[in-house]
């Protein structure tokens, strides 16, 4: 192996706690000091109370973060903790999608808690090394590598052994450095960021696994929220875990036979159904491009349009041709969904690696849509190249896509000009100019690129202050909520999805609730109560994945053949047989029976805890739940005119007479109507979630969920008293 | 390529093959641990056994499955993580598993069962083709 010169700064031995029924019941905190080079570590017990209240994964992350930070803490405070945790199911190999790593931290973008997840082998190896969670706090005065060797029982801090700071290079070098031999390369997993994350707040975390077929380290991203920015702010080049000899019973499950039975059943279901249901095994999530286009949901030109005549260039068939076929493309052992597609032997045309042939992980749908139609580019090869560099520089592809789309529209509206952009003509579809901007985001030297990398919310401030751009227009078209860029679904025709995006804990990310089809296409949520019920159930159901360490895709991206015969409407959307699978594997791992109701209760505890946490950090109330005009409907006449008949009908359905009104007036009326609908939705959703009209959990809710600990009451009791007086 | 060829019309479902196989490979006389499975389907014999098609090799994430010099598909137990994708994707449903054995298991065309079959329903053949 290529041995880098590894200068050891600190080393500690520990006794590896055995994994038993999904837990080690220990977590590790590595503190990097206060810029003084004093490194320390502590190992903490996880007791039954912590498991009962927080379950694992993101739940543990939030609890550990809460204990680490004060209400005055911010993303770049030394006290901010980057917590990584798998969850009790994480690391089984028999069921697809069970290697997820969940990260929790205070976000630079949203200035509150964020949670983001990735595949790769870090979470399972961390557990097998003796820790249910790892938290890093403090700030190092120099770039360091923090490693955990589960075989040797050692935690080490090294000085960064290389000047490389971009993701593919760092990851490959550290796999080589930490593996004992070639067979051992699969025993290593690396979490790193890239140089872009040192300047941009869109910094992504890249989580690795070694692909023995391709003989390369692959990267999966916990991309959203700025986790990579936090990592580099702490002076961390990378986190490394090494654990050899991983087996299928590493979790010491209570009932291996059930895991085998349920897992092989789903493997067979995927084998039989994927080709007709989702094409995950051949095309990954890019199969969604065409479907979203067909339903006017694909974001085109900063979400102005939902479809494009140019769709033919980016269909699933086109991506299938570019992806290498026939390999086991799971991001953890046993994932037969195999959605982690790669483009192998891809020759880069730009940037520092120009001319190099590389393996590119992805693109997934979000990247294919964001760094594609949303910026007006319909060229898969451009998308693949931008995907490569975004990962390499550690820029979240979703925020990058939505952010660049905002920049393009500002440019086309004349809000910013070539004088501001450093000479770049950033129109929609300006592929070369946009690629150049991405490259300029890497080193923080270009003033405009630096501003872009701070995200849309800050861009609005900077463009208004520095360039005199019209603030009101930017507020209408900037697709962000709570400081986070919207992910790649155009939600304006689904009232329920307004909430799915903009009534979230952390900002508009689709992993809380994706209810567009249920609402808009299948018309299954006709009343506000129905929508509120969906926005109660699905966010809580999906949150459960983040507690136990599993991936969402095998839940509903493949279904039993008879799912839609046996069940109808929302019940079919829940995929009851797969819900039962999760209850079965939870019990099979932990030995604890779980009902569907208890599953939602586990989630509800953490959902509300996170909401309270955000309230504690000065957020978490109704005034943070805002929605831009572009998310509600058309803003400009060109958007209206492209679907004129449709919008005329919508106006009519709202009881508004359009006769004699200009298009601008019609747009204003529709927006006013939809804003009223939004407020009704907010009221209904808050009520269903057990929150007051200000979006804060009520005393009854906190008590019902058993969250009424002294630390929570200290935060909420003054509020409840003042709200009661009001 | 070596493989175990079956003659269903000769099988009397006596179970001798499963007994011999499990004793040889799992050290106990237990049909559920046998690499060859005789089942009764609507009164007729059905013998499930690997035909060495190799479909499992491509789905294995840890490169634990490969062909030996005879074209027989074998499992490297040190590399296997028991994910059982090979079980789910086996076209002939002849990759087996048990919670008592760490890795899945399959026929490796050893011929032990052939020697105990009283009716000549099993035969090791060499197809003459590479896998």
């Amino acid at each position: 192996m290529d041995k880098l010169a590894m200068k050891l700064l600190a080393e500690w031995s520990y006794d590896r706690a055995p994994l038993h029924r999904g837990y080690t019941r220990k977590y590790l905190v590595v503190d990097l000091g206060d810029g003084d080079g004093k490194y320390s570590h502590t190992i903490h017990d996880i007791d039954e109370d912590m498991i009962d209240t927080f379950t694992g994964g993101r739940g543990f992350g939030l609890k550990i973060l809460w204990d680490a930070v004060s209400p005055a803490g911010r993303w770049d405070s030394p006290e901010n903790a980057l917590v990584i945790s798998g969850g009790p199911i994480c690391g089984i190999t028999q069921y697809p999608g069970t290697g997820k790593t969940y990260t929790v931290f205070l976000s630079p973008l949203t200035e509150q808690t964020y949670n983001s997840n990735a595949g790769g082998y870090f979470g399972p190896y961390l557990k097998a090394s003796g820790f249910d969670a790892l938290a890093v706090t403090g700030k190092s005065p120099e770039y360091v590598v923090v490693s955990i060797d589960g075989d040797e029982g050692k935690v080490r801090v090294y000085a960064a052994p290389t000047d490389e700071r971009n993701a593919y290079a760092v990851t490959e070098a550290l796999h080589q450095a930490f593996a004992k031999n070639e067979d051992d390369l699969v025993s290593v997993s690396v979490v790193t960021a890239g140089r872009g994350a040192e300047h941009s707040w869109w910094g992504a975390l890249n989580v690795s696994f070694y692909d023995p077929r391709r003989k390369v380290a692959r990267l999966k991203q916990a991309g959203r929220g700025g986790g990579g920015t936090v990592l580099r702010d702490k002076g961390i080049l990378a986190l490394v875990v090494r654990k050899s000899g991983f087996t299928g019973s590493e979790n010491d499950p209570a009932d291996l036979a059930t895991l085998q039975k349920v897992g092989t059943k789903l493997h067979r279901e995927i084998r039989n159904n994927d080709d007709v249901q989702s094409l995950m095994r051949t095309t990954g999530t890019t199969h969604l491009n065409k479907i979203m286009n067909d339903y006017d949901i694909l974001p085109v030109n900063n979400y102005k349009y939902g479809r494009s005549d140019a769709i033919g260039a980016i269909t699933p068939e086109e991506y299938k041709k570019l992806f290498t076929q026939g390999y086991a493309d799971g991001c953890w052992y046993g994932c037969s969904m195999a959605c982690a597609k790669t483009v192998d032997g891809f020759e880069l045309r730009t940037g520092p690696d120009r001319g190099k042939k590389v393996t590119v992980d992805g693109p997934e749908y979000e990247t294919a849509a964001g760094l594609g139609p949303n910026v007006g580019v319909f060229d898969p090869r451009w998308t693949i190249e931008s995907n490569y560099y975004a990962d390499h520089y550690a820029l979240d592809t979703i925020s990058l896509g939505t952010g660049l789309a905002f920049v393009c529209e500002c440019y086309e509206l004349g809000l910013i000009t070539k004088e501001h952009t450093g000479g770049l003509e950033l129109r929609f579809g300006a592929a070369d100019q946009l690629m150049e901007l991405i490259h300029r985001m890497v080193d923080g030297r270009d003033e405009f690129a630096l501003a872009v990398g701070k995200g849309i919310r800050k861009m609005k401030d900077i463009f208004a202050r520095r360039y005199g751009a019209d603030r009101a227009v930017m507020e209408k078209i900037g697709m962000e909520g709570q400081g986070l860029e919207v992910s790649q679904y155009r939600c304006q025709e689904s009232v329920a999805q307004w909430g799915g995006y903009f009534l979230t804990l952390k900002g508009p990310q689709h992993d809380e609730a994706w209810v567009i089809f249920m609402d808009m296409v299948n018309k299954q949520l006709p009343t506000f109560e129905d929508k509120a019920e969906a926005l109660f159930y699905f966010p809580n159901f999906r949150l459960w994945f983040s507690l136990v360490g599993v991936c969402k895709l095998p839940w509903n991206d493949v279904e039993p053949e008879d799912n839609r015969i046996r069940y109808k409407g929302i019940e079919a959307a829940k995929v009851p047989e797969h819900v039962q699978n999760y209850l079965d594997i939870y019990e099979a791992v932990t030995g604890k029976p779980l009902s569907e109701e208890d599953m939602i209760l586990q989630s509800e505890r953490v959902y509300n805890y996170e909401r309270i946490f955000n309230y504690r950090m000065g957020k978490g109330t109704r005034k943070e739940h805002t929605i831009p005009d572009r998310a509600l409907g058309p803003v400009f006449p060109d958007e209206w005119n492209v679907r004129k008949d449709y919008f005329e009908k919508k106006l009519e359905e709202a009881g508004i007479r359009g006769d004699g009104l200009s298009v601008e007036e019609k747009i204003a009326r529709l927006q006013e109507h939809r804003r009223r609908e939004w407020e009704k939705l907010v009221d209904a959703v808050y009520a269903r979630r057990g929150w007051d009209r200000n979006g804060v959990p009520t005393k009854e809710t906190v008590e019902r969920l058993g969250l009424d600990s002294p630390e929570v009451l200290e935060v909420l009791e003054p509020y409840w008293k003042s709200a009661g007086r009001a | 390529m070596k493989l175990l060829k079956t003659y269903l019309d000769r099988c009397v479902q006596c179970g001798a093959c499963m007994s011999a196989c499990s004793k040889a490979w799992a050290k106990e006389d237990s049909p559920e641990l046998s690499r060859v499975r005789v089942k009764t389907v609507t009164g007729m014999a059905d013998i499930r056994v690997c035909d060495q098609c190799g479909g499992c090799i491509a789905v294995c994430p840890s490169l634990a499955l490969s062909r030996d010099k005879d074209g027989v598909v074998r499992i490297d137990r040190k590399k296997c993580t028991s994910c059982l994708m090979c079980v789910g994707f086996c076209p002939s449903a002849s990759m087996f598993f048990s919670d008592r054995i760490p890795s899945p298991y399959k026929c490796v065309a050893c011929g032990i069962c052939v020697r105990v079959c009283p009716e000549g329903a099993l035969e090791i053949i060499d197809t003459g083709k590479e896998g």
Side-chain angles (χ1 to χ4, degrees):
Chain A
M1 297 287 90
D2 298 336
K3 290 301 169 202
L4 295 168
M6 302 294 290
K7 184 184 163 198
L8 195 62
L9 301 175
E11 179 181 57
W12 309 285
S13 299
Y14 68 94
D15 293 325
R16 195 176 80 217
L19 254 172
H20 178 58
R21 299 194 169 181
Y23 294 99
T24 65
R25 293 172 181 259
K26 299 279 181 195
Y27 72 88
L28 169 68
V29 178
V30 175
D31 184 70
L32 300 171
D34 197 3
D36 50 9
K38 288 184 182 163
Y39 306 111
S40 63
H41 88 300
T42 45
I43 293 173
H44 304 255
D45 290 330
I46 292 173
D47 61 19
E48 205 60 37
D49 268 0
M50 184 161 163
I51 291 175
D52 286 347
T53 308
F54 299 101
T55 305
R58 169 180 166 187
F60 284 179
L62 284 164
K63 169 64 179 155
I64 293 166
L65 181 64
W66 178 301
D67 290 345
V69 300
S70 65
R74 289 294 172 260
W75 72 273
D76 55 353
S77 309
E79 67 185 88
N80 188 14
L82 174 67
V83 194
I84 301 179
S85 177
I89 294 176
C90 172
I92 66 167
T93 61
Q94 294 80 14
Y95 196 83
T98 49
K100 281 281 187 175
T101 300
Y102 285 81
T103 64
V104 174
F105 49 88
L106 295 180
S107 160
L109 290 167
T110 65
E111 301 178 318
Q112 57 183 354
T113 65
Y114 202 87
N115 60 83
S116 186
N117 74 82
Y121 292 5
F122 198 90
Y125 285 0
L126 180 68
K127 280 177 65 178
S129 296
F131 303 110
D132 289 332
L134 162 68
V136 279
T137 58
K139 288 195 191 194
S140 171
E142 60 177 316
Y143 277 117
V144 294
V145 173
V146 177
S147 81
I148 299 163
D149 192 309
D151 287 358
E152 297 176 7
K154 300 277 189 193
V155 179
R156 297 182 177 103
V157 181
Y158 297 98
T162 167
D163 292 334
E164 293 283 358
R165 291 209 301 280
N166 284 328
Y168 277 105
V170 168
T171 305
E172 188 67 38
L174 292 180
H175 268 267
Q176 296 289 338
F178 281 84
K180 304 289 182 200
N181 52 52
E182 195 174 336
D183 284 345
D184 200 41
L185 287 163
V186 297
S187 311
V188 175
S189 180
V190 175
V191 177
T192 190
R195 290 183 64 205
E198 294 161 15
H199 310 286
S200 168
W201 290 354
W202 291 332
L205 291 164
N206 283 288
V207 183
S208 80
F209 68 103
Y210 191 80
D211 184 331
R213 269 193 183 77
R214 295 176 172 89
K215 298 191 185 303
V216 294
R218 305 264 307 269
L219 302 182
K220 306 306 294 178
Q221 289 74 35
R224 308 227 67 198
T229 306
V230 173
L231 187 87
R232 287 295 163 92
D233 180 67
K234 293 192 167 304
I236 300 172
L237 179 73
L239 307 169
V240 179
V241 63
R242 178 180 166 273
K243 180 70 181 72
S244 66
F246 201 93
T247 72
S249 51
E250 209 71 28
N251 268 300
D252 190 20
D255 177 6
L256 181 61
T258 293
L259 292 183
Q260 292 178 326
K261 189 179 85 182
V262 180
T264 49
K265 189 177 75 171
L266 189 59
H267 287 323
R268 197 147 278 266
E269 213 174 285
I270 290 170
R271 172 182 180 265
N272 293 340
N273 300 348
D274 181 60
D275 280 352
V276 287
Q277 289 183 359
S278 282
L279 314 176
M280 286 288 185
R281 291 178 57 78
T282 54
T283 322
T285 53
T286 60
H287 76 272
L288 293 167
N289 288 1
K290 177 82 167 43
I291 302 167
M292 296 309 143
N293 187 72
D294 289 349
Y295 285 99
D296 267 291
I297 297 168
L298 187 76
V300 178
N301 291 9
N302 196 29
Y303 304 83
K304 287 181 79 166
Y305 314 113
R307 67 169 71 203
S308 169
D309 292 341
I311 185 69
I314 59 165
T315 57
E317 292 76 19
E318 293 304 313
Y319 271 105
K320 185 179 174 184
K321 280 188 248 171
L322 291 160
F323 290 137
T324 307
Q325 298 295 322
Y327 281 1
D329 279 328
C331 64
W332 173 240
Y333 295 118
C335 192
S336 44
M337 288 297 282
C339 75
K341 312 319 295 180
T342 69
V343 182
D344 291 302
F346 184 79
E347 187 170 338
L348 296 161
R349 292 179 293 184
T350 69
D353 290 345
R354 181 199 324 239
K356 195 172 161 187
K357 286 192 175 175
V358 295
T359 289
V360 185
D361 259 287
E364 300 180 58
Y365 166 74
E366 300 293 332
T367 308
L371 294 169
N374 212 2
V375 293
V377 177
F378 290 79
D379 173 3
R381 301 192 75 83
W382 184 89
T383 298
I384 291 162
E385 178 130 353
S386 58
N387 191 166
Y388 172 85
Y389 278 115
D391 292 347
H392 198 38
Y393 299 156
L395 299 170
D396 164 29
T397 54
I398 299 177
S399 279
L400 180 63
T402 301
L404 293 182
F406 172 73
V407 169
C408 287
E409 189 165 2
C410 286
Y411 189 90
E412 294 210 344
L413 290 169
L415 302 179
I416 55 173
T417 69
K418 249 168 82 166
E419 307 304 313
H420 309 129
T421 64
L424 297 177
E425 295 185 39
L426 296 168
R427 298 183 182 285
F428 288 116
D432 293 345
Q433 306 279 298
L434 286 163
M435 190 69 78
E436 174 58 24
L437 177 56
I438 293 171
H439 290 308
R440 289 183 188 182
M441 291 174 70
V442 77
D443 57 15
R445 286 186 298 186
D446 183 283
E447 183 189 86
F448 181 76
L450 198 58
V452 171
K454 294 290 184 285
I456 291 175
R457 183 163 281 195
K458 278 280 179 256
M459 269 192 263
K460 288 186 286 195
D461 290 340
I462 297 169
F463 290 2
R465 193 182 65 240
R466 195 183 291 166
Y467 310 140
D470 186 327
R471 178 92 199 194
V473 173
M474 290 191 291
E475 290 295 347
K476 288 181 181 182
I477 64 171
M479 287 291 277
E480 59 93 1
Q482 302 186 63
L484 183 76
E485 286 71 23
V486 178
S487 71
Q488 307 302 328
Y489 300 94
R490 188 167 169 269
C491 68
Q492 57 180 234
E493 302 312 309
S494 165
V495 174
Q497 189 59 30
W498 299 348
Y501 265 150
F502 295 94
L503 294 177
T504 41
L505 291 170
K506 64 183 176 185
Q509 160 71 358
H510 53 284
D511 66 351
E512 254 204 34
W514 196 86
V515 290
I516 297 183
F517 266 38
M518 238 177 279
D519 185 39
M520 183 187 105
V521 179
N522 299 327
K523 316 279 186 213
Q524 289 159 345
L525 308 173
T527 68
F528 283 102
E529 285 68 34
D530 295 329
K531 297 178 204 303
E533 184 59 33
L535 291 172
F536 168 78
Y537 177 82
F538 288 102
N540 278 302
F541 174 72
R542 283 169 169 246
L543 187 149
W544 192 80
F545 298 143
S546 69
L547 299 181
V548 297
V550 306
C551 173
K552 169 262 169 193
L553 294 192
W555 160 51
N556 70 347
D557 280 274
V558 66
E559 293 178 355
E561 271 177 57
D562 59 356
N563 185 52
R564 283 170 198 271
I565 298 167
R566 289 175 66 189
Y567 307 99
K568 295 294 171 201
I570 297 175
E571 280 309 300
K574 291 179 179 175
V575 198
E577 203 175 298
H578 287 182
V579 174
Q580 187 60 49
N581 286 354
Y582 290 115
L583 301 177
D584 289 344
I585 62 174
Y586 177 86
E587 180 176 356
V589 172
T590 64
K592 296 176 187 169
L594 188 71
S595 67
E596 198 178 342
E597 293 72 28
D598 286 343
M599 176 193 232
I600 297 301
L601 200 58
Q602 283 181 328
S603 292
E604 234 194 314
R605 282 193 198 103
V606 174
Y607 196 94
N608 281 274
Y609 186 78
E610 190 162 351
R611 185 74 179 160
I612 296 163
F613 196 158
N614 289 336
Y615 179 78
R616 178 180 178 237
M617 303 310 289
K619 303 273 180 175
T621 62
R622 188 170 185 139
K623 71 175 189 296
E624 269 76 42
H625 276 158
T626 58
I627 184 167
D629 282 5
R630 176 61 55 71
L632 290 172
V635 171
F636 299 123
D638 53 349
E639 300 162 63
W640 179 280
N641 290 333
V642 80
R643 293 183 84 192
K644 184 171 176 294
D645 293 345
Y646 174 86
F647 288 124
E648 298 279 0
K649 189 159 166 269
K650 288 290 157 191
L651 211 53
E652 194 183 313
E653 283 171 10
I656 300 165
R657 290 182 61 87
D659 310 347
L661 297 179
S662 67
V663 173
E664 286 83 352
E665 286 167 334
K666 288 176 185 172
I667 289 172
R669 296 289 170 83
L670 189 65
Q671 283 282 351
E672 284 163 16
H673 167 70
R674 289 186 172 183
R675 284 239 162 244
R676 287 192 295 274
E677 300 281 288
W678 160 255
E679 295 298 335
K680 284 185 215 165
L681 181 76
V682 179
D683 288 339
V685 169
Y686 284 180
R688 179 61 187 92
R689 288 179 182 172
W691 298 354
D692 66 14
R693 284 178 56 83
N694 192 28
V696 179
T698 63
K699 193 163 189 283
E700 293 70 30
T701 300
V702 168
E703 286 173 354
R704 177 175 64 82
L705 297 172
L707 291 174
D708 48 343
S709 63
E711 60 187 28
V712 165
L713 293 178
E714 188 188 338
V715 171
L716 286 183
E717 274 186 333
Y719 168 80
W720 289 331
K721 279 180 189 157
S722 65
R725 280 199 300 273
Chain B
M1 182 172 79
K2 270 172 68 177
L3 59 84
L4 184 71
K5 185 171 168 59
T6 62
Y7 300 90
L8 294 179
D9 55 333
R10 298 180 196 167
C11 178
V12 294
Q13 304 170 50
C14 68
C17 54
M18 294 191 286
S19 180
C21 178
S22 61
K23 278 196 279 189
W25 289 96
K27 309 301 176 206
E28 66 177 86
D29 186 353
S30 178
E32 75 268 16
L33 298 181
S34 171
R35 277 80 170 145
V36 55
R37 299 282 174 90
V38 179
K39 288 194 154 198
T40 306
V41 179
T42 62
M44 308 288 282
D46 180 35
I47 304 176
R48 278 206 245 144
V49 69
C50 175
D51 62 3
Q52 315 300 338
C53 78
C56 53
I57 296 173
V59 301
C60 178
S62 53
L63 299 185
L65 288 152
S66 60
R67 289 187 190 278
D68 68 12
K69 62 180 172 29
D70 294 323
V72 172
V73 177
R74 289 180 175 271
I75 301 173
D76 180 342
R77 298 194 186 286
K78 283 197 296 227
K79 288 185 177 171
C80 175
T81 61
S82 315
C83 73
L84 307 183
M85 290 198 324
C86 53
V87 173
F89 280 73
C90 175
S92 58
S94 56
M95 183 72 82
F96 305 111
F97 64 94
S98 162
D99 62 328
R100 293 157 59 199
I101 296 179
S103 301
Y105 43 92
K106 63 180 287 298
C107 173
V108 293
C110 71
I112 286 171
C113 56
V114 176
R115 291 195 283 279
V116 299
C117 178
E119 302 295 331
L122 301 166
E123 181 188 12
I124 296 290
I125 63 162
D126 192 330
T127 62
K129 296 175 193 162
E130 292 199 7

